[in-house]
Amino acid sequence: MSSAAAFSYAPLLPTGPDLTEYRLVTDEGVDVVNGPGGRRFLTVDPGALTALTAEAMHDIAHFLRPAHLAQLRSIIDDPAASPNDRFVALDLLRNANIAAGGVLPMCQDTGTAIVMGKRGRHVLTDGTDAEAISRGVYQAYTRLNLRYSQLAPLTMWDERNTGSNLPAQVELYAEDPDGHADAYKFLFMAKGGGSANKSYLYQETKALLNPTRMMQFLEEKLRLIGTAACPPYHLAVVIGGTSAEYALKTAKYASAKYLDALPTQGSMSAHGFRDLELEAEVLELTRNFGIGAQFGGRYFCHDVRVVRLPRHGASCPVAIAVSCSADRQAVAKITPSGVWLERLETDPARYLPDVTDETLETEEVVRVDLNRPMGEIRAELSKYPVKTRLSLTGPLVVARDIAHAKIAERLDAGEPMPQYLRDHAVYYAGPAKTPEGYASGSFGPTTAGRMDAYVEKFQAAGGSMVMLAKGNRSTQVTRSCQAHGGFYLGSIGGPAARLAQDCIKHVEVLEYAELGMEAVWKIEVEDFPAFIVVDDKGNDFFAEVTKPVLTVGRR
């Protein structure tokens, strides 16, 4: 063997200076005390950790970063954006304005609470940091109009909602953040199921590490993300990694802009770095997919982060992750001067354009009366091609995973399809808590693909003839709709607060009240936006835009 290289050390992810704008949450619960050797120590009470966490979870449920809002506005101003791109961007901006009121969260799936902290060596706590942080999560989710999504496994097969959105994912590291021994720094995230489910790991080889193969690989894999996680996305791609789990974790951090200050070139210290050139090329690649901001266009992604990591010679993990239109994260810090949280945008109205809906509409909007018999609704939908924009008014039945499973069990037992699924279109969704004085809590669509396995069975029994949700469907759904005369309508993923305030007029439980947000509901909607995605003739809007077409490599 050759002689060893000289020792050198660099952190795997060396980040630059922190340029975040912070606001003071409190100066209580922190103090500076003298220690041995003339050192000064920052003491942090558990209550300060709880207060910071509760405040952070509130803010990321209701506010967005200014940069994210500016990117939405830029879509509206871009003449190359499609009408559907601009319509989605405007709806998301309106949703941000409603959420900023602090009552309705921006998305009904208020997520798994994820907290990562780095505690400097001169920071003293009582050692119950994870518990104090979890208490802050508990306070936010139980006091605000947020949804409880965490399921406790009671047996291998039986689960029950914890009723508090706990447990949180809390990861704490003993590390001087940014070289400061007397600082405690955090990343707070709320990760909904839709975007979390679009985290991918691929175990590749050295053969991937050339420009042509890399771009072909990325086109194939990125198209598979689809729209179920509510684009436009902040996309992160990580190539390499000392382990598979480290690659995935790095992709999550990168999608949250947490690693933006990484170096932009590598060295023999073997640290990670950003490839800015490849980021620009991948962004342009996504512009040409045709998927756009959910229903055709250029804006599948706002931006792209590509991080290159060191790797074992026999392994080449590739991790892909997205942050969705509910771009929910914020950084924070505790220093001798107090408890500080990233300043998010509390006045998103300044990003709204001076335009009306009519300015953005260049195509016909078809109004569909859901009070009519199902046969008449289907006959009306059959007149129009996929991608047609709709405005729905009337009753919808709401059912998602657990309700579908229970109804499937009834069909298997020889019972008939419930009449409500025969008479009404079904909306795949699950609401957040309803604020006082509102008809509904935030009530956006959930991922349609999770119900794909039920469609043929249900349609054969006369139900689910018109389905409404977000994201693309499998070919078995297209075949079933063609065989049975059904339709799948795509709803805009993301604007759950706007739908609750402007479109949903009444909500009542029809069945399975014990399931909470997973119950079967009946809702009344008015001017509810949707698009025809799969029709009764076997056409699927997403079928074409998910096919790879790249034939050339990286320039």
Side-chain angles (χ1 to χ4, degrees):
M1 293 181 65
S2 61
S3 60
F7 174 80
S8 65
Y9 172 78
L12 275 175
L13 296 172
T15 55
D18 183 2
L19 303 179
T20 305
E21 181 182 356
Y22 290 94
R23 67 177 182 86
L24 182 65
V25 175
T26 181
D27 57 5
E28 297 181 358
V30 296
D31 196 8
V32 177
V33 299
N34 293 320
R39 289 177 293 177
R40 303 274 286 173
F41 288 83
L42 174 67
T43 62
V44 179
D45 292 340
L49 294 172
T50 297
L52 173 60
T53 302
E55 188 80 359
M57 288 298 156
H58 166 274
D59 281 13
I60 63 177
H62 292 282
F63 307 129
L64 291 159
R65 286 171 166 160
H68 176 87
L69 293 163
Q71 287 174 310
L72 285 173
R73 172 59 188 267
S74 70
I75 296 174
I76 297 172
D77 294 337
D78 183 0
S82 73
N84 285 346
D85 278 340
R86 292 195 292 272
F87 176 70
V88 170
L90 180 61
D91 220 34
L92 291 172
L93 279 176
R94 287 173 170 162
N95 188 71
N97 277 271
I98 294 169
V103 178
L104 293 166
M106 67 183 73
C107 179
Q108 81 288 341
D109 184 348
T110 48
T112 297
I114 300 174
V115 185
M116 187 272 287
K118 296 180 179 180
R119 189 174 77 181
R121 66 186 185 276
H122 289 175
V123 177
L124 302 178
T125 69
D126 70 355
T128 63
D129 299 26
E131 180 180 349
I133 289 167
S134 295
R135 185 176 296 278
V137 171
Y138 174 86
Q139 288 181 2
Y141 278 83
T142 55
R143 294 175 182 177
L144 302 172
N145 298 309
L146 309 184
R147 197 176 83 184
Y148 308 143
S149 299
Q150 307 308 308
L151 303 178
L154 304 181
T155 70
M156 181 60 71
W157 322 118
D158 299 320
E159 301 173 307
R160 184 175 300 168
N161 194 299
T162 62
S164 64
N165 214 56
L166 293 178
Q169 179 179 319
V170 182
E171 300 179 5
L172 302 176
Y173 299 89
E175 176 182 333
D176 289 354
D178 303 326
H180 296 291
D182 60 350
Y184 204 160
K185 300 194 76 171
F186 302 89
L187 170 65
F188 293 95
M189 304 179 71
K191 198 70 173 173
S195 61
N197 292 345
K198 296 303 178 180
S199 301
Y200 295 103
L201 174 70
Y202 302 96
Q203 294 287 15
E204 296 298 315
T205 68
K206 167 69 175 173
L208 185 67
L209 299 180
N210 68 79
T212 298
R213 178 66 189 115
M214 179 62 72
M215 293 300 281
Q216 292 171 341
F217 170 87
L218 289 176
E219 178 176 26
E220 175 189 350
K221 303 306 182 187
L222 297 180
R223 285 179 182 270
L224 295 177
I225 295 174
T227 61
C230 307
Y233 298 127
H234 300 285
L235 171 68
V237 179
V238 174
I239 300 156
T242 50
S243 65
E245 62 271 23
Y246 194 82
L248 282 166
K249 184 176 294 187
T250 302
K252 180 175 287 186
Y253 293 161
S255 72
K257 307 293 186 73
Y258 186 72
L259 302 177
D260 276 10
L262 282 177
T264 56
Q265 58 185 16
S267 75
M268 286 304 295
S269 295
H271 56 75
F273 66 90
R274 285 179 61 188
D275 186 331
L276 302 184
E277 181 184 355
L278 188 54
E279 288 178 2
E281 293 179 10
V282 174
L283 179 61
E284 185 59 28
L285 178 71
T286 67
R287 294 279 194 259
N288 295 320
F289 284 172
I291 300 173
Q294 306 188 30
F295 300 103
R298 288 171 44 84
Y299 282 94
F300 185 63
C301 294
H302 284 302
D303 48 43
V304 177
R305 297 293 180 268
V306 177
V307 176
R308 182 68 158 90
L309 293 177
R311 67 183 185 93
H312 184 288
S315 301
C316 186
V318 178
I320 296 173
V322 297
S323 184
C324 66
S325 60
D327 188 41
R328 293 175 296 200
Q329 55 264 325
V331 295
K333 63 182 180 180
I334 302 177
T335 69
S337 61
V339 178
W340 300 84
L341 180 61
E342 180 177 357
R343 186 181 299 278
L344 302 180
E345 180 58 71
T346 58
D347 183 24
R350 65 192 185 93
Y351 294 92
L352 280 169
D354 295 324
V355 298
T356 63
D357 285 347
E358 290 72 22
T359 307
L360 297 178
E361 292 173 3
T362 60
E363 301 175 357
E364 179 185 9
V365 178
V366 176
R367 303 195 178 279
V368 179
D369 182 3
L370 298 176
N371 291 289
R372 298 162 67 186
M374 179 54 65
E376 294 183 15
I377 294 172
R378 291 161 59 195
E380 178 69 15
L381 295 173
S382 191
K383 298 176 183 177
Y384 303 98
V386 294
K387 240 171 86 170
T388 298
R389 185 174 149 202
L390 309 173
S391 176
L392 310 178
T393 297
L396 289 169
V397 166
V398 180
R400 46 181 280 158
D401 307 60
I402 297 178
H404 274 71
K406 288 183 172 291
I407 293 169
E409 291 174 358
R410 287 157 59 173
L411 295 178
D412 290 341
E415 298 180 33
M417 172 63 65
Q419 194 64 36
Y420 53 73
L421 281 182
R422 299 175 64 90
D423 293 342
H424 301 293
V426 58
Y427 179 39
Y428 302 157
K433 286 182 283 189
T434 301
E436 185 176 352
Y438 285 72
S440 165
S442 292
F443 211 153
T446 198
T447 303
R450 298 204 306 272
M451 269 56 74
D452 283 4
Y454 302 102
V455 173
E456 202 287 326
K457 180 193 293 284
F458 282 25
Q459 290 189 337
S464 294
M465 302 308 295
V466 176
M467 302 162 286
L468 175 66
K470 66 174 181 177
N472 45 301
R473 308 299 295 265
S474 64
T475 55
Q476 71 187 90
V477 172
T478 303
R479 290 195 297 265
S480 181
C481 286
Q482 184 177 19
H484 299 288
F487 295 84
Y488 167 56
L489 312 181
S491 176
I492 301 173
R498 196 192 76 76
L499 293 176
Q501 177 177 284
D502 299 339
C503 300
I504 299 175
K505 304 304 180 183
H506 179 73
V507 176
E508 62 180 285
V509 175
L510 285 183
E511 195 171 14
Y512 304 127
E514 71 276 8
L515 298 180
M517 69 94 176
E518 291 265 10
V520 177
W521 308 77
K522 184 178 180 182
I523 65 176
E524 291 285 336
V525 302
E526 184 177 298
D527 293 329
F528 193 107
F531 295 79
I532 299 176
V533 176
V534 176
D535 66 13
D536 57 347
K537 305 171 188 66
N539 299 307
D540 176 4
F541 161 65
F542 287 113
E544 290 301 316
V545 298
T546 54
K547 293 179 181 177
V549 296
L550 186 69
T551 58
V552 296
R554 184 180 178 187
R555 296 189 299 275

